[in-house]
Amino acid sequence: MKKSSTLTTTTSMPTSPTLSAQTLSASKISLNSNSSRSGSVAGSIRSSCQSPVRPGSGCVDAIKAKREEIEIETLLEKAKFYTSVCLGTTAILSVFTFLFLIPFVVDPAISTIIADYDPVPVTCIVIDHIYAEGIKNCSWSSCREGCTSSLTKCHQLFVNYTRIPYSDWERNPRDLDAVNWDVSYTKFLINSEGCGYPPTTNCSVFARQYGFSHIGEPFPCYYSRAYPEVVIGRYSWENNLYHLILSLIIPNVLFAISIGVLSYWYCPCCEKACNKSSRVYAEKFPTKEEIVNCMKCNTEKSLSLNVF
């Protein structure tokens, strides 16, 4: 019995180390194969990234292209931001400018058009000049520096005028006592509003030009065909229309352009409305060819990702 036990022990003992050696060798082989595969993939990646820089190929070119794209995107974002700030400022300034121009340019120009002044100057003479001081005595003035300022000093001029053109009067002067004046003793204003702002309006110069020392001297003036009792010293249809068009168009066009661009950039509703497709409802769904092409693109992308 003792011999048999020793034999069994001697025969059973060497089997376990042989099996463990085989399993270890097999595992080493599998590890070596896996490491060789991963090494080949990693080596291919390293070789592609560590290969010398060639134009149009390699990892470095891709990184450079990506950096250039990022730089371009950042520049575009900065440009868009600063452009948006400028457009917003332009829109705000356009509103305030238009509100400022309404009482000083638009309203006088419209009132001048409504008055319908005769563009051909007629003949006038000053028959009275009153200089007054104090708010009570200055209910009106032929000239006022500042259309919103209160009157404390005023020059009040009264004229007679005839519809004889001043050019005809210069060629053929008449006797003032024999002239049949169309309107007598009416107010004389420097312009349609009777006011203005320096340097174009200087009431002292106006008073010296038409006042005390020039009473009874003929001079050109413009009368209103809608209101014959209104007579002014300065009038130009072209300048009046020019200033009216500029004051109406420039602020409104700048405001419309600024708001339109900002709405297109930052308003989702406007962007959807601008990019709205004109196709019918059935055509909005992808066709079979588009689905197949999309699936091919997705499979190629998935394969490229599995390789890495």
Side-chain angles (χ1 to χ4, degrees):
M1 292 295 289
K2 289 181 180 179
K3 289 180 181 180
S4 63
S5 62
T6 55
L7 288 171
T8 55
T9 54
T10 54
T11 55
S12 61
M13 286 295 291
T15 57
S16 58
T18 55
L19 290 172
S20 61
Q22 290 176 358
T23 53
L24 286 171
S25 62
S27 62
K28 287 179 181 179
I29 292 167
S30 62
L31 287 171
N32 291 327
S33 63
N34 291 329
S35 63
S36 62
R37 289 178 184 176
S38 61
S40 63
V41 174
S44 63
I45 294 171
R46 291 193 189 95
S47 62
S48 63
C49 291
Q50 295 176 359
S51 60
V53 178
R54 295 190 302 273
S57 64
C59 192
V60 177
D61 293 336
I63 293 170
K64 287 182 178 179
K66 190 66 177 176
R67 286 179 180 174
E68 290 178 357
E69 290 178 1
I70 292 170
E71 289 178 357
I72 292 170
E73 288 178 359
T74 53
L75 288 174
L76 290 175
E77 289 177 358
K78 288 181 180 179
K80 184 177 180 181
F81 172 73
Y82 289 116
T83 305
S84 302
V85 172
C86 293
L87 290 173
T89 307
T90 303
I92 295 170
L93 292 177
S94 299
V95 172
F96 284 105
T97 303
F98 182 68
L99 295 176
F100 176 80
L101 291 173
I102 286 174
F104 297 110
V105 178
V106 177
D107 187 30
I110 292 173
S111 64
T112 302
I113 292 172
I114 293 172
D116 190 20
Y117 290 98
D118 191 353
V120 179
V122 296
T123 306
C124 291
I125 59 168
V126 175
I127 58 173
D128 194 7
H129 180 194
I130 299 172
Y131 175 75
E133 294 182 357
I135 297 175
K136 292 182 179 180
N137 297 324
C138 295
S139 59
W140 70 279
S141 178
S142 295
C143 179
R144 184 173 57 176
E145 295 180 4
C147 296
T148 58
S149 60
S150 59
L151 290 172
T152 57
K153 298 178 181 180
C154 58
H155 295 273
Q156 298 176 352
L157 280 73
F158 296 89
V159 297
N160 294 345
Y161 77 86
T162 178
R163 290 187 174 89
I164 299 172
Y166 185 71
S167 58
D168 294 344
W169 183 280
E170 285 183 323
R171 287 194 299 267
N172 185 17
R174 277 89 166 170
D175 185 7
L176 296 177
D177 295 331
V179 174
N180 185 15
W181 302 103
D182 293 304
V183 177
S184 300
Y185 206 79
T186 186
K187 297 177 181 179
F188 179 64
L189 305 176
I190 186 173
N191 51 32
S192 61
E193 295 295 315
C195 61
Y197 294 90
T200 57
T201 301
N202 191 326
C203 293
S204 300
V205 175
F206 173 79
R208 287 196 300 268
Q209 182 179 359
Y210 299 102
F212 295 107
S213 59
H214 298 280
I215 291 177
E217 294 181 3
F219 65 91
C221 62
Y222 303 88
Y223 75 97
S224 171
R225 288 179 287 199
Y227 311 102
E229 68 278 1
V230 178
V231 185
I232 61 175
R234 299 176 185 174
Y235 174 71
S236 175
W237 168 260
E238 290 80 9
N239 290 336
N240 183 61
L241 189 63
Y242 176 75
H243 292 118
L244 179 62
I245 290 173
L246 287 181
S247 60
L248 289 176
I249 289 178
I250 292 177
N252 292 317
V253 168
L254 290 176
F255 178 79
I257 292 173
S258 302
I259 295 299
V261 174
L262 291 174
S263 300
Y264 178 75
W265 280 350
Y266 298 104
C267 182
C269 299
C270 297
E271 188 176 357
K272 289 179 181 178
C274 293
N275 297 327
K276 187 176 181 181
S277 177
S278 60
R279 299 186 301 175
V280 296
Y281 182 75
E283 293 178 352
K284 292 182 181 179
F285 293 97
T287 60
K288 292 182 178 179
E289 295 177 355
E290 293 176 351
I291 294 171
V292 171
N293 293 329
C294 186
M295 291 175 67
K296 287 180 179 180
C297 293
N298 290 330
T299 53
E300 290 176 358
K301 290 179 181 178
S302 62
L303 289 172
S304 62
L305 290 173
N306 290 329
V307 169
F308 292 100

